[in-house]
């Protein structure tokens, strides 16, 4: 199997995973908050775990959005800065930006993974669900892993585009 096919499969898997995660997490969060409002104002009783569930759903949605945002190109880049640069310098700055995002994603992945491992070792539990607090924090390394993969894809795609432009221009 060629490298291109492997990257396409990874890309399709991540697209499916991100979309499914967003649908599930946002649906659960919406339903939990809706029922909490119903319980509080109509039944005059609250669901004790609703705030924690909705918070964790939001946290996972945000961190999964790291990879999705990088694929869509919505997170990084300072277009105004790049547009003031000479045309010949722009590709280097854009390449540097993509390398920097990849590097930072890797650093944040490592740091957040260390934190999650430390939290698992400590055994701290969440306040109302009584699950390991590390489960909530696991959203960070998961999201930054997606960021690493998407950044690598962006970098490879950028280099391929530059090569294509250079060969067409010759």
């Amino acid at each position: 199997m060629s490298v291109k096919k492997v990257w396409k499969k990874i890309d399709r898997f991540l697209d499916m995973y991100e979309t499914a995660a967003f649908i599930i997490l946002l649906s659960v969060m919406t339903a939990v908050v809706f029922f909490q409002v119903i319980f509080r104002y109509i039944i005059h009783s609250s669901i004790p775990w609703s705030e924690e569930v909705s918070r964790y759903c939001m946290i996972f949605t945000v961190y999964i959005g790291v990879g999705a945002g990088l694929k869509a190109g919505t997170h990084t880049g300072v277009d105004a800065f790049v547009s003031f640069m000479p045309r010949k310098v722009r590709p280097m700055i854009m390449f540097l930006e993509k390398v920097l995002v990849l590097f930072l994603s890797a650093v944040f992945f490592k740091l957040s993974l260390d934190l999650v491992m430390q939290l698992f070792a400590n055994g701290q539990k969440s306040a109302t669900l009584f699950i390991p607090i590390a489960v909530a924090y696991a959203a960070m390394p998961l999201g930054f892993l997606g960021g690493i993969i998407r950044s690598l894809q962006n970098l490879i795609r950028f280099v391929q585009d530059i090569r294509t432009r250079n060969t067409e221009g010759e």
Side-chain angles (χ1 to χ4, degrees), residues 63-98:
Y63 279 103
I64 291 169
V66 170
L70 284 171
K71 180 182 182 186
T74 57
H75 282 317
T76 58
V78 183
D79 294 335
F81 174 72
V82 174
S83 67
F84 283 117
M85 294 295 176
R87 284 205 182 277
K88 291 189 177 197
V89 177
R90 290 178 192 175
M92 284 191 297
I93 292 172
M94 292 168 66
F95 177 79
L96 182 64
E97 175 257 333
K98 292 182 184 338

Side-chain angles (χ1 to χ4, degrees), residues 10-107:
I10 291 170
D11 190 47
R12 267 189 261 126
F13 171 78
L14 283 177
D15 285 346
M16 185 181 67
Y17 157 74
E18 290 163 351
T19 302
F22 289 145
I23 290 169
I24 292 167
L25 291 167
L26 292 174
S27 296
V28 167
M29 185 175 62
T30 302
V32 167
V33 169
F34 173 77
F35 285 116
Q36 172 63 1
V37 169
I38 297 295
F39 269 65
R40 183 170 290 161
Y41 292 105
I42 295 175
I43 301 174
H44 301 290
S45 177
S46 67
I47 306 169
W49 46 264
S50 65
E51 182 184 343
E52 201 168 300
V53 168
S54 60
R55 182 182 325 121
Y56 292 163
C57 285
M58 178 59 78
I59 290 168
F60 270 88
T61 301
V62 167
Y63 279 103
I64 291 169
V66 170
L70 284 171
K71 180 182 182 186
T74 57
H75 282 317
T76 58
V78 183
D79 294 335
F81 174 72
V82 174
S83 67
F84 283 117
M85 294 295 176
R87 284 205 182 277
K88 291 189 177 197
V89 177
R90 290 178 192 175
M92 284 191 297
I93 292 172
M94 292 168 66
F95 177 79
L96 182 64
E97 175 257 333
K98 292 182 184 338
V99 169
L100 185 61
V101 170
L102 176 61
F103 173 75
L104 289 174
S105 293
V107 168

